[in-house]
Amino acid sequence: MAASHPSSGPGSAPRAGPHAATPRTQGTPARPGAWAALTGLVAAFAGVLAGELVAAFASPSLSPVTAVGGAVVDFAPPAAKDWAVAVFGTGDKAFLVASIGILLALLGAAAGVAELRRPGVGVALAGAIGAVGLAAVATRALATPGAWACALAAGAVAMALVRWLVGRLRREAQAGPPASGPPVRGALPRRGFLRALTGTAAAVALGGAVAAVVRAAAVRATAARDALRLPAPAGPAEAVPAGADLGVPGVAPLVTPNPDFYRIDTALVVPSVEPAGWTLTVTGLVERPLTLTWDELLAQPLVARHVTLACVSNPVGGDLVGNALWLGWPVRELLARAGPLPGADMVLSRSVDGFTASTPLEALTDPGRDALLAVGMNGEPLPPEHGFPARLVVPGLYGFVSATKWVSELKVTTFAEDLAYWSTRGWSERGPIKTASRIDTPRQGARVAAGTVAVGGVAWAQHRGITAVELRVDDGAWQPARLGAGISTDTWYQWASEVKLDPGTHRITVRAADETGAFQTDRTAPPAPDGATGHHTITIEAT
Ligand SMILES: Nc1nc2c(c(=O)[nH]1)N[C@H]1C(S)=C(S)[C@@H](COP(=O)(O)O)O[C@H]1N2
Ligand SMILES: [Mo]
């Protein structure tokens, strides 16, 4: 709320003389206890709402309110549950939430009154309400750091508001009547206090509406994902060949579990897209523009392919790279239906959140490259943060020019005509993945026993394949490492070796060669604009 009256605000002294406030707002407020109760109530709801807002971003599946509700459901005596179901039927959950709300209002009001009487007591009570939220989170299976953060935010905001708002009220109540006149009966608190209180209440109402909308959408999308059973691939799923996993402790697993898969996107809130309402339109330079629905997509013969995704922002030795088994429909079959027109050389894929990526048309139509419109990741529907319900996966190209999540449109166009999201921000228009290799074990800075030391890691040159990996100790000669069998050229490879180390500090460097036999360059380049280069080197201490 914009302050329209400059004479009052936090910390401003009461004025006398010609600029004194009007009588309605002057003097000791009548019924300070009632105002304190109302203030405490607003503070309590503001706290819970802050928690819900943090949850909408950081913990969609568990918020302070759902944590307390869940804990009540779990710990309530069965008789109470039976009674609630008998009386309220399917409205039992609404009854539960309403009960929590009423209890919160009462406790908040009590905190306000207590703070008015004795500074600090109400703040402590607000903190106790927050502690109940924390305790509830502790009982939940989904207690992630995000969920803890929500409960902490809720308590902190409630405590701060009780202290600040009730503190103002108390000071006014204690100030007594102005020297220049008799006490004014029925006076309201000062305008500054009223503004702060109504402003807080308005923020609660507005924020509550936002949190409710975001949460409802996330809940619907999560429920749809939980209920989904993806079809089996039409052909046999690609097997991991024997000899691909070298079994060296500390090396990244060949297939990255979904919870460990790196996540990169511009989305502050993970978009909530329900499959039932999802469509993908193919537009632009095509003979037959088309719209694909979710059911139509699932009715296509789907293939399962391991593909290693990599982010262009990955620094040398970094972990913005991961390998998954994707289930999807080859994009070339979708594009064949639409019929790209001559002259087109790019597909601008667009996400529901506005992100766009520019992919060379021939990378998507090439029969030798399984670019997928993916719906599954490692045997389950795409996780929400990895693009549920559908995304693109294109072997051999960095994610920023290919891997659009929550994809909603493919515009067949030209590089001359259209620029993608990152290409307007200083990054390249095209992004073939550069050959890279990484040492996973030992870790940088490790202390190891001198003698024979196991070294291992991964190397990738998607769609070209890795043909050799070599190691070097300090400034010695390059020595070949063992190279695991690839799942396909579209995935990373494990490699392993043993090196002999005398006591002392040593550098170990790795390099890999792709199908051309050419080793990756030792010239260092930063990630921008089209991917980092240089050798990964670790420094370790042998003792
Ligand atoms: N909608 C959307 N899709 C996106 C992005 C994005 O910001 N928004 N980032 C891209 C980038 S830069 C990468 S590296 C990959 C990462 O995919 P992941 O988060 O599933 O690992 O997603 C791509 N798809
Ligand atoms: Mo990326």
Side-chain angles (χ1 to χ4, degrees):
M1 289 180 93
S4 55
H5 203 284
S7 68
S8 60
S12 69
R15 294 194 183 189
H19 298 294
T22 56
R24 286 272 308 152
T25 59
Q26 188 179 16
T28 310
R31 302 178 53 80
W35 283 105
L38 177 65
T39 306
L41 182 153
V42 168
F45 277 98
V48 169
L49 185 88
E52 292 294 305
L53 278 180
V54 174
F57 294 91
S59 174
S61 40
L62 187 66
S63 73
V65 170
T66 56
V68 171
V72 171
V73 169
D74 287 357
F75 294 111
K81 276 187 230 175
D82 295 347
W83 173 81
V85 173
V87 176
F88 299 100
T90 53
D92 61 337
K93 297 225 167 47
F95 167 73
L96 174 64
V97 172
S99 308
I100 294 174
I102 291 169
L103 195 64
L104 182 71
L106 291 174
L107 288 172
V113 174
E115 183 70 13
L116 183 71
R117 302 226 173 106
R118 275 198 68 185
V121 176
V123 174
L125 185 50
I129 303 173
V132 170
L134 281 173
V137 166
T139 69
R140 304 291 83 200
L142 292 168
T144 56
W148 291 105
C150 313
L152 283 173
V157 167
M159 291 169 79
L161 283 174
V162 165
R163 190 182 143 85
W164 176 52
L165 286 173
V166 182
R168 281 185 81 135
L169 192 66
R170 183 175 359 94
R171 282 190 295 280
E172 288 184 22
Q174 287 169 350
S180 58
V184 181
R185 288 188 62 78
L188 288 170
R190 282 179 197 282
R191 222 176 263 171
F193 168 80
L194 288 178
R195 267 199 210 117
L197 184 61
T198 47
T200 306
V204 170
L206 191 75
V210 171
V213 169
V214 170
R215 166 149 319 254
V219 165
R220 282 196 309 271
T222 308
R225 182 177 180 275
D226 290 346
L228 190 66
R229 293 288 162 269
L230 290 177
E238 200 172 50
V240 177
D245 191 338
L246 297 178
V248 178
V251 172
L254 264 183
V255 178
T256 314
N258 289 353
D260 302 340
F261 208 96
Y262 81 95
R263 174 189 166 196
I264 292 285
D265 54 59
T266 58
L268 273 180
V269 181
V270 173
S272 297
V273 185
E274 285 181 82
W278 174 87
T279 57
L280 178 72
T281 54
V282 183
T283 60
L285 300 175
V286 290
E287 281 169 41
R288 300 168 294 274
L290 62 86
T291 300
L292 184 75
T293 67
W294 178 250
D295 289 340
E296 286 164 358
L297 172 55
L298 288 200
Q300 306 310 317
L302 305 182
V303 300
R305 293 281 180 274
H306 289 95
V307 177
T308 298
L309 280 192
C311 183
V312 69
S313 299
N314 196 33
V316 170
D319 57 8
L320 300 180
V321 52
N323 183 44
L325 178 63
W326 307 96
L327 176 73
W329 190 34
V331 179
R332 62 174 172 275
E333 293 176 22
L334 174 63
L335 287 175
R337 283 201 189 172
L341 292 170
D345 66 0
M346 187 262 268
V347 171
L348 190 77
S349 54
R350 183 178 296 274
S351 162
V352 296
D353 68 358
F355 171 88
T356 53
S358 55
T359 311
L361 178 62
E362 41 99 357
L364 297 175
T365 53
D366 178 1
R369 181 177 337 218
D370 284 326
L372 299 182
L373 175 56
V375 295
M377 180 177 184
N378 291 332
E380 52 175 287
L382 293 176
E385 61 276 23
H386 294 293
F388 181 77
R391 73 173 305 168
L392 295 180
V393 172
V394 185
L397 303 181
Y398 286 121
F400 82 117
V401 289
S402 69
T404 303
K405 305 190 271 190
W406 316 288
V407 65
S408 60
E409 185 196 341
L410 302 184
K411 180 187 179 191
V412 180
T413 178
T414 62
F415 278 105
E417 179 71 21
D418 281 298
L419 266 186
Y421 184 92
W422 286 114
S423 312
T424 61
R425 292 164 172 79
W427 295 76
S428 167
E429 287 171 54
R430 294 167 195 257
I433 293 175
K434 299 176 180 176
T435 304
S437 51
R438 187 180 78 191
I439 302 170
D440 286 349
T441 187
R443 311 297 288 179
Q444 159 64 27
R447 308 181 115 240
V448 298
T452 304
V453 175
V455 188
V458 285
W460 60 91
Q462 286 91 315
H463 208 58
R464 304 190 301 281
I466 295 291
T467 53
V469 172
E470 292 182 349
L471 283 186
R472 175 161 73 169
V473 178
D474 299 325
D475 293 317
W478 289 102
Q479 324 164 14
R482 286 198 309 286
L483 182 61
I487 301 175
S488 79
T489 58
D490 294 339
T491 68
W492 61 12
Y493 299 61
Q494 289 187 348
W495 60 264
S497 190
E498 285 84 35
V499 294
K500 286 235 158 48
L501 296 183
D502 299 329
T505 303
H506 298 283
R507 278 175 296 116
I508 303 180
T509 305
V510 65
R511 67 175 188 177
D514 69 5
E515 59 167 4
T516 66
F519 280 94
Q520 60 188 103
T521 173
D522 64 351
R523 272 205 24 230
T524 58
D530 60 3
T533 61
H535 293 162
H536 187 210
T537 299
I538 59 165
T539 305
I540 61 173
E541 186 76 27
T543 54

